Amino acid sequence: DANLLAQEYISEPETFDAQRVRDCLEECVDIVKKLHCSLPPDAFERSPPFALDAFEVCRHYINVISGENPLNDSSWATLLPPDMDAVMKAGDDIHQALLCHQERWPPVCCHNDLVVGNLVRGNLGSNERRVYLIDFEYSAKGDRCFDIANLCVNSEFDLDETARVVDRYLSNNECCTAKHTEFLARVQLLKILSDLREALWALGHGCMLKPLTQDEEKAGSGDAALPQTFYINYFEQHLLRFRRSVGLDQGAGSPSESLKKWIHDAVHV
């Protein structure tokens, strides 16, 4: 396939699921840490690359879904809830909290798509089987906390498990000296924002794909061969989780107590 770039081949790969991430937690966190520390602190000052901002990506997908692009299926916009403005306002509140103290959070080389399937164990030119990251399609400079949040939310980690991840990440980490309380708060906020991004990714991606015939679904592979119901269910699953996290599922339209705590800890520590 001329559209693929293969850099190195991992032999006998074992793809992870959420439980496997739990079983190999230290290795998984360490490989993400290694990626973040792979470039010197001034690397992006010398040659600023594309930066990925989770909330700006959400805004982009809203424009894609609601836009007038004739190539997109405009009917997908009807799947957005009536209170989408309130949903985006909740996302922006988190975004504004994350913008505080930016001087403490210089950008690093991020993966930006840490679904559990992008962690594998295998061999790479040696007999030693170890954990590797794959699929760097969305890799860019960004917030290290987003990668950690993405890993945690996709592994369905609770608060205690997320705190363990942060503990491991900050231990013996010369390229990050952040306080645990602030780091954990940012990760918790980005776990919530990650759900909004995942939800809107599904609609933004789905509306650009032509419907598949049954034969095409059976014969195809990858994202292009996934049925529309996959994207709709994925959108609804992640949007519901986002709504619960910010308190919108209660109909009150006000932040949940836990969200208030994470915003406070991210802003005032």
Side-chain angles (χ1 to χ4, degrees):
D1 189 327
N3 295 317
L4 296 179
L5 172 63
Q7 294 179 301
E8 293 182 276
Y9 180 72
I10 300 173
S11 62
E12 301 179 14
E14 171 201 353
T15 305
F16 280 25
D17 57 18
Q19 186 55 52
R20 197 74 178 106
V21 174
R22 286 182 172 86
D23 295 340
C24 306
L25 185 63
E26 294 184 353
E27 286 182 273
C28 293
V29 176
D30 288 350
I31 193 65
V32 176
K33 185 195 305 188
K34 183 177 181 180
L35 172 65
H36 292 171
C37 298
S38 61
L39 295 176
D42 62 345
F44 297 126
E45 296 176 8
R46 297 198 306 268
S47 179
F50 167 76
L52 189 144
D53 180 302
F55 188 67
E56 291 304 322
V57 171
C58 293
R59 285 178 170 147
H60 165 72
Y61 283 134
I62 287 289
N63 290 335
V64 169
I65 298 161
S66 306
E68 299 298 325
N69 188 338
L71 297 178
N72 295 350
D73 183 348
S74 60
S75 67
W76 287 73
T78 63
L79 297 173
L80 294 171
D83 64 343
M84 195 63 205
D85 286 345
V87 170
M88 293 300 288
K89 172 63 168 60
D92 191 40
D93 289 343
I94 294 174
H95 183 236
Q96 294 304 316
L98 292 166
L99 290 177
C100 294
H101 313 303
Q102 281 292 85
E103 71 282 357
R104 302 180 192 170
W105 303 97
V108 297
C109 181
C110 289
H111 185 280
N112 291 321
D113 191 21
L114 286 177
V115 295
V116 292
N118 283 339
L119 289 140
V120 301
R121 183 182 293 281
N123 299 330
L124 185 61
S126 71
N127 292 325
E128 181 185 2
R129 290 182 63 78
R130 45 172 289 202
V131 175
Y132 295 95
L133 297 175
I134 62 171
D135 190 359
F136 284 79
E137 179 183 0
Y138 295 102
S139 182
K141 77 172 182 178
D143 186 338
R144 69 180 76 233
C145 295
F146 181 77
D147 268 353
I148 298 301
N150 210 212
L151 176 64
C152 290
V153 76
N154 287 317
S155 302
E156 299 182 357
F157 286 175
D158 60 20
L159 178 56
D160 289 339
E161 290 171 312
T162 301
R164 283 181 55 209
V165 170
V166 172
D167 286 340
R168 179 68 184 185
Y169 185 88
L170 292 177
S171 66
N172 301 316
N173 191 340
E174 296 180 358
C175 68
C176 182
T177 57
K179 295 179 180 178
H180 185 279
T181 301
E182 183 180 10
F183 196 105
L184 180 60
R186 290 178 67 85
V187 167
Q188 286 295 112
L189 291 175
L190 281 162
K191 282 172 64 178
I192 298 172
L193 203 54
S194 176
D195 269 328
L196 182 59
R197 189 194 78 153
E198 291 294 311
L200 294 176
W201 166 85
L203 286 196
H205 201 69
C207 75
M208 294 186 289
L209 299 175
K210 68 173 185 177
L212 299 176
T213 66
Q214 289 185 349
D215 289 341
E216 287 174 327
E217 287 184 20
K218 292 177 181 178
S221 62
D223 287 355
L226 293 171
Q228 290 184 341
T229 52
F230 166 84
Y231 295 101
I232 295 171
N233 291 339
Y234 194 88
F235 163 74
E236 292 176 346
Q237 170 194 343
H238 285 276
L239 183 63
L240 177 60
R241 198 158 63 183
F242 176 83
R243 295 174 69 92
R244 287 174 175 168
S245 297
V246 300
L248 288 177
D249 65 318
Q250 303 163 6
S254 59
S256 64
E257 290 304 313
S258 58
L259 177 58
K260 291 178 183 178
K261 169 181 168 48
W262 302 129
I263 289 177
H264 176 274
D265 287 353
V267 171
H268 297 293
V269 170

